[in-house]
Amino acid sequence: MDKDITSNLKVRHLSLIVALADHGTTHRAAGVLNMTQSTASKMLRDVEELFQATLFEREPRGMKPTPLGQFVIDNARGQLSRLLHFSDEFHARRTGGYGTLTIGVISGAAPGLVAHALAEIKRMRPLLMVVVHGETSDTILDMLENGRLDLAVGRFSTDRHRHLFDFEPIAEEELVIVARAGHPLAGQRPAGLAELADCPWVLQPRATPSRRALDAAFGEAGLRAPVDKIECSSILAMMTLVEVSDAIALLPASVVDVHLRAGVFTVLPVRPKITLDRFGLITRKREALSDAAVEFSGCLRRNAALYPR
């Protein structure tokens, strides 16, 4: 009969599993955890006996996770992250604070909707510690799955996310194709994608919704996707590349608004417009939100009126 994993697995076991994954050898993992190598080796044997499975392949240059081991590592990271968050929250409340709220936000939602919602909740809870991670949807949903976030504002990147998270649509996000002021295409009549196919592009990674929308638009027009391209996960780096070169980019209008008003960027009018599904509030299924997360969700809903429907 299998042993009851949940009854026998300890926090130090989880810490060892993650340390081995991060550092590759029992010697280095033991050093990080302030234990002897022999203790770490024995603990690993105990853990594998508990799981009745080999979690790491022993190789000449270190340890490599097995497929089952990688599954355990991913879950161990999530459990440790949740425990750390709980510890921080408990300490803050015990000392009279208001705890911590950690959110992940796609770039298009951050300048307007989320900024106003954050300002509102800080008026309500001045001592609340808020941590904001601005990333692409795929990245913030990985963080949400691993317990590193309380909630996210974004979109699903893969079908599996529908089984992991609840989604509440909040607002739309306008996308525009931008170039530097003085770009050879600036000021011309509305163009079709065919006229932009051979331009240099700065593109978000393939897993992002906006990149998929752009690739789909080229496909629907019977065109190949751009080949002269730089892929970049940083919106700030994308804008810098557009500013200093002839590269063009598909970016959220809210993100580039300041650059447009300052005359640094220009919008290239393209027909048809490239659109995305509405972004929204994303939370883990069957997991209650903290009081601060509930209040912040309310702030998001109230401020959604700032965005077009």
Side-chain angles (χ1 to χ4, degrees):
M1 181 180 296
D2 288 347
K3 293 185 178 181
D4 186 347
I5 295 174
T6 58
S7 296
N8 293 280
L9 193 63
K10 299 177 173 62
V11 173
R12 61 178 184 161
H13 293 152
L14 299 176
S15 299
L16 176 64
I17 291 167
V18 171
L20 286 169
D22 289 343
H23 300 283
T25 68
T26 52
H27 174 73
R28 289 197 289 266
V32 170
L33 299 175
N34 294 316
M35 63 175 66
T36 65
Q37 184 173 352
S38 60
T39 299
S41 297
K42 180 181 184 304
M43 190 182 300
L44 177 59
R45 290 194 298 271
D46 292 342
V47 171
E48 291 184 325
E49 181 180 348
L50 177 61
F51 280 98
Q52 296 187 356
T54 301
L55 303 184
F56 293 89
E57 296 289 352
R58 281 67 167 172
E59 298 183 341
R61 294 189 177 183
M63 311 186 77
K64 178 182 177 182
T66 63
L68 267 179
Q70 189 60 55
F71 172 73
V72 173
I73 290 165
D74 293 341
N75 280 272
R77 289 191 195 279
Q79 294 296 332
L80 289 174
S81 181
R82 290 181 178 89
L83 284 171
L84 178 60
H85 182 76
F86 163 76
S87 175
D88 291 343
E89 181 84 5
F90 179 81
H91 176 73
R93 293 187 178 213
R94 187 181 62 186
T95 54
Y98 285 84
T100 302
L101 175 67
T102 307
I103 63 174
V105 184
I106 58 171
S107 300
L113 173 59
V114 173
H116 284 85
L118 287 171
E120 181 177 341
I121 196 169
K122 286 298 287 182
R123 288 193 295 270
M124 297 163 59
R125 290 177 175 242
L127 299 183
L128 175 68
M129 170 65 75
V130 181
V131 180
V132 181
H133 294 274
E135 302 286 352
T136 55
S137 284
D138 55 329
T139 301
I140 63 174
L141 291 187
D142 284 344
M143 297 173 71
L144 184 63
E145 181 180 357
N146 291 332
R148 296 169 59 193
L149 303 176
D150 294 304
L151 55 82
V153 181
R155 298 180 184 83
F156 290 155
S157 295
T158 66
D159 286 338
R160 66 183 289 272
H161 290 149
R162 303 180 189 280
H163 303 290
L164 296 172
F165 309 120
D166 291 321
F167 177 80
E168 177 187 341
I170 292 290
E172 294 179 354
E173 178 183 7
E174 181 185 2
L175 295 176
V176 291
I177 296 178
V178 296
R180 64 172 176 82
H183 190 280
L185 295 178
Q188 296 190 12
R189 60 178 176 78
L193 284 177
E195 298 172 66
L196 306 181
D198 292 327
C199 290
W201 284 79
V202 184
L203 302 173
Q204 290 190 19
R206 289 183 180 276
T208 58
S210 61
R211 172 65 182 279
R212 290 204 304 269
L214 180 67
D215 287 347
F218 272 99
E220 290 167 5
L223 302 167
R224 59 172 172 76
V227 294
D228 183 356
K229 61 181 183 288
I230 297 174
E231 288 195 0
C232 184
S233 60
S234 166
I235 296 291
L236 179 60
M238 290 180 70
M239 292 194 294
T240 301
L241 287 166
V242 169
E243 185 176 351
V244 302
S245 73
D246 281 341
I248 61 178
L250 179 70
L251 291 168
S254 59
V255 171
V256 298
D257 179 63
V258 172
H259 287 69
L260 291 172
R261 287 189 280 114
V264 177
F265 286 174
T266 185
V267 172
L268 302 181
V270 175
R271 298 291 184 269
K273 295 188 71 172
I274 298 172
T275 60
L276 288 174
D277 293 335
R278 299 175 78 189
F279 64 82
L281 175 65
I282 304 175
T283 55
R284 288 182 289 270
K285 284 184 177 294
R286 296 177 295 278
E287 185 170 320
L289 295 176
S290 66
D291 291 345
V294 170
E295 290 187 12
F296 178 74
S297 300
C299 295
L300 278 174
R301 296 183 185 101
R302 286 189 290 276
N303 284 277
L306 299 171
Y307 271 66
R309 299 229 174 222

